[in-house]
Amino acid sequence: MPQALRNTLLSFRDVLATAGPFILITVVLLAIAYWVLDPTPPRKVVLATGVEQGAYAEFGRRYAEILKTHGITVELRNTQGAAENLQLLRDPDSGVDLAFVQGGADAERPGEAPEEDLVSLGSLFYEPLWVFYREDSAQRLIKAPLVNGLSQLHGWKINFGAPGSGVPNLMARLIDANRIDPAALTQMKMTQTPAVVALLEGQIDAVALASAPESVMVQMLLQTPGIKLLDVAQADAYSRRFSFLTPVMLPRGVVDLASDLPSTDVHLIAPTASLVARESTHPALIQLFLQAAQKVHGGAGWFQRKGDFPNARGDERPLAAEAQRYYRNGPPYLQRYLPFWLGNLIDRMWVALASIIVILIPLSRVIPPLYEFRIRSRVFRWYGQLRAVENAMGRRPGDELSRELDDIEHKVERVSVPLSYADELYALRSHIDMVRRKLSGASAPAEG
C-alpha cells in the first residue's frame, strides 16, 4: 500500500475513533426522537364511505387515487351511511380510521359532550336533503301537482333510508318538528338503490336522500320525468331550529341549462358533511387527507363557490390539532416543494433536530482536544521509556541501555502521525539521538 494512502487511512481512523462516541450519541438521540415523534405515517388507512352508488363512495375513490400518489393505500369500506360510520369509528376493533359523517347523524344523543376519541378534519361539502316524490302521488294524495312542505306528507309511503344511514334520524326530527304523527306515514327502510327502483315503479310515493349532488341517483332522479323534488320553502326556519342545517338554493337550470332543469329555483336544507377521524390517527395522514379534500371539494359546485370548502366552521366535534394548523397556515411549506415523505420528515423532525444540535454543539468542542491528545500520546508515551534509559545511565550496563534505545528507535520508526504533528515525531527521534550520544559519552571514559 502506498505510504500516502496508508497515512490517509490512518488519519481517517484516528478521526473516526475520536469522534465515534460523539457519532454514537447523535445516532441514539436521533433514534429516540424518531421513535417518540413517529414522523412516518402508516402505509394503509381504512376510510368508511357509504352506499356503492352514493356521493361518499365517489369521493372515497377520489381520495384513494390522490393518496396513492403519496404511497398511501386507502381501503374503502362501504356502509349504509353516516350513522354506521360513527359506530365503526367508536368500535376499537372495526379497523376504520376515518369516515364521512353527515351533520346531525348523531343527534339521537342530544346534550351529550362529543366523544373525546373522535376529531373532525373540518366541513367538506353541503349534503342536501333531497325528497323526491312521484307527481301522480301528489295528485292522488293532496290533489295538487306539487308538494309545498313536509307537513303535506300525511298518509304517504316514504322511504327514509336503511338503518345505519343518517337520513332516518334526520327525517324523524323534521317530521316531529312538523307535528306529523309517525303512524300517519308508511316508513320504508330500504337501501338507496332498491328504494329508487321502487319509486320509479310506483311502489312507494317518495324517497328521502341526503347526498351531495355528485350522487348518481340524485343526478338521475333530477332528470326523470314524473319525479319531482320537494321545494323546502321554510328552509331558513329549519336552519334556525336545527344548528346543523343550512339553507341552500338549487339554482334554476343548474342541472341542465338546455332543458332548463330545474325550471325554478328550489329551496333545500343541507347538513354539512365532514371527515371524522380517531384521535390517534397519525398527523401526517390528517395532513394528506386535508390536502386531498382541498382538491376534491375546493372547487365551485351547485351549492358553493370556489374556496368555500373545506373549512373549519360549524362542526359538531373538536377540530384535530393538525387540521387547525392546516386551516391557519395551509400545507406545510416544505411539502409544497419536496416529495411528501421528505417534506413530512423534515417538518416533523426539525424541532428535535434543532434540540439535538443545541445539545451536541458544546460536546463537539471536546473532539479537537481529544483528537490532539490521541495523536500526541503516540509520541509522548515513548518519552517515559526514554527518560528511564537516561536515568539508568551509570547504574546499568551501557550495552544493555544501548539495546533498549535501539528497540525504542525501531518502534518509533513505525509510529505514524498526521503531517501536522510530524514535528513532534521528529523531535522524539532527535531526543533519542541526544540520549544515545549522552550514553556514548558516558560509556567512553568508563572503557578508557
Side-chain angles (χ1 to χ4, degrees):
M1 179 184 296
Q3 186 63 32
L5 178 60
R6 181 173 179 271
N7 291 337
T8 300
L9 292 177
L10 288 173
S11 296
F12 178 75
R13 184 195 66 181
D14 291 329
V15 173
L16 187 62
T18 305
F22 181 81
I23 295 173
L24 180 61
I25 292 173
T26 303
V27 171
V28 170
L29 290 176
L30 285 173
I32 293 174
Y34 189 91
W35 178 73
V36 172
L37 296 177
D38 188 22
T40 305
R43 292 296 179 180
K44 182 179 178 182
V45 62
V46 180
L47 173 65
T49 57
V51 295
E52 182 60 34
Q53 300 298 322
Y56 286 173
E58 173 60 26
F59 289 141
R61 285 188 283 270
R62 297 186 195 177
Y63 276 71
E65 291 175 2
I66 294 173
L67 266 72
K68 186 178 180 180
T69 63
H70 298 292
I72 307 295
T73 299
V74 179
E75 178 186 324
L76 303 178
R77 176 120 17 125
N78 290 331
T79 66
Q80 291 302 319
E84 183 179 347
N85 289 353
L86 280 172
Q87 292 174 2
L88 291 172
L89 285 172
R90 290 174 181 140
D91 181 2
D93 300 322
S94 69
V96 171
D97 302 293
L98 301 98
F100 293 108
V101 174
Q102 170 194 310
D106 203 28
E108 70 272 13
R109 299 169 61 183
E112 293 189 18
E115 53 273 33
E116 295 181 353
D117 58 341
L118 297 184
V119 292
S120 171
L121 275 63
S123 299
L124 303 179
F125 55 89
Y126 290 126
E127 196 171 13
L129 176 66
W130 312 85
V131 180
F132 292 102
Y133 61 92
R134 294 182 61 87
E135 192 173 5
D136 57 4
S137 294
Q139 293 281 7
R140 174 171 51 86
L141 294 169
I142 64 173
K143 311 302 181 187
L146 299 176
V147 178
N148 296 319
L150 293 174
S151 59
Q152 295 179 285
L153 299 181
H154 285 276
W156 286 55
K157 191 175 185 179
I158 308 175
N159 186 72
F160 278 17
S165 72
V167 181
N169 178 66
L170 175 60
M171 285 298 295
R173 293 173 67 90
L174 298 181
I175 291 298
D176 179 68
N178 281 276
R179 294 200 292 273
I180 299 175
D181 185 356
L185 298 172
T186 302
Q187 300 181 26
M188 309 298 292
K189 298 180 179 180
M190 292 183 285
T191 56
Q192 189 177 100
T193 300
V196 170
V197 172
L199 177 69
L200 297 177
E201 293 178 350
Q203 299 174 13
I204 58 177
D205 302 308
V207 60
L209 308 173
S211 178
E214 286 83 356
S215 168
V216 174
M217 293 301 181
V218 171
Q219 294 273 350
M220 184 267 292
L221 290 173
L222 285 170
Q223 302 179 64
T224 301
I227 302 298
K228 297 294 183 180
L229 175 62
L230 189 147
D231 185 346
V232 186
Q234 299 168 308
D236 283 321
Y238 282 111
S239 68
R240 300 296 193 278
R241 192 158 221 187
F242 301 104
S243 60
F244 56 85
L245 293 177
T246 301
V248 295
M249 176 80 72
L250 184 66
R252 175 177 176 173
V254 73
V255 177
D256 189 334
L257 285 170
S259 302
D260 195 26
L261 289 177
S263 58
T264 62
D265 293 340
V266 181
H267 300 85
L268 299 173
I269 49 175
T272 303
S274 61
L275 199 56
V276 177
R278 298 180 189 271
E279 195 172 33
S280 58
T281 302
H282 198 284
L285 279 178
I286 292 179
Q287 180 65 231
L288 272 183
F289 268 90
L290 285 168
Q291 293 179 32
Q294 187 66 51
K295 295 177 181 178
V296 174
H297 309 292
W302 287 5
F303 302 105
Q304 76 270 358
R305 300 184 184 278
K306 183 177 180 179
D308 284 351
F309 291 102
N311 64 60
R313 300 189 298 271
D315 203 277
E316 301 167 274
R317 290 169 183 81
L319 201 62
E322 188 66 22
Q324 295 178 22
R325 178 186 177 191
Y326 178 85
Y327 290 121
R328 183 174 61 250
N329 303 321
Y333 181 79
L334 291 177
Q335 291 186 27
R336 303 172 195 176
Y337 306 100
L338 297 176
F340 167 75
W341 68 269
L342 180 58
N344 174 70
L345 181 65
I346 297 174
D347 184 57
R348 306 202 176 280
M349 290 285 290
W350 75 266
V351 174
L353 290 173
S355 302
I356 291 172
I357 290 172
V358 168
I359 294 172
L360 293 181
I361 284 177
L363 292 178
S364 65
R365 296 176 180 173
V366 179
I367 292 179
L370 285 177
Y371 177 74
E372 182 179 358
F373 174 79
R374 178 182 176 84
I375 299 301
R376 297 183 71 182
S377 65
R378 293 181 189 170
V379 176
F380 292 159
R381 61 188 289 243
W382 299 106
Y383 276 102
Q385 297 184 35
L386 188 61
R387 175 171 290 183
V389 170
E390 185 179 14
N391 292 337
M393 289 180 186
R395 296 197 301 270
R396 291 172 55 193
D399 56 345
E400 181 180 334
L401 294 176
S402 181
R403 286 195 299 272
E404 287 188 19
L405 276 178
D406 291 341
D407 183 61
I408 293 173
E409 186 173 31
H410 179 67
K411 290 179 179 179
V412 169
E413 287 176 353
R414 290 182 293 179
V415 172
S416 177
V417 295
L419 291 177
S420 57
Y421 293 89
D423 58 334
E424 297 184 6
L425 182 60
Y426 285 112
L428 173 60
R429 290 177 177 176
S430 66
H431 291 153
I432 293 174
D433 289 338
M434 182 185 69
V435 173
R436 189 185 303 278
R437 290 193 300 271
K438 185 177 181 181
L439 178 62
S440 298
S443 299
E447 292 174 358

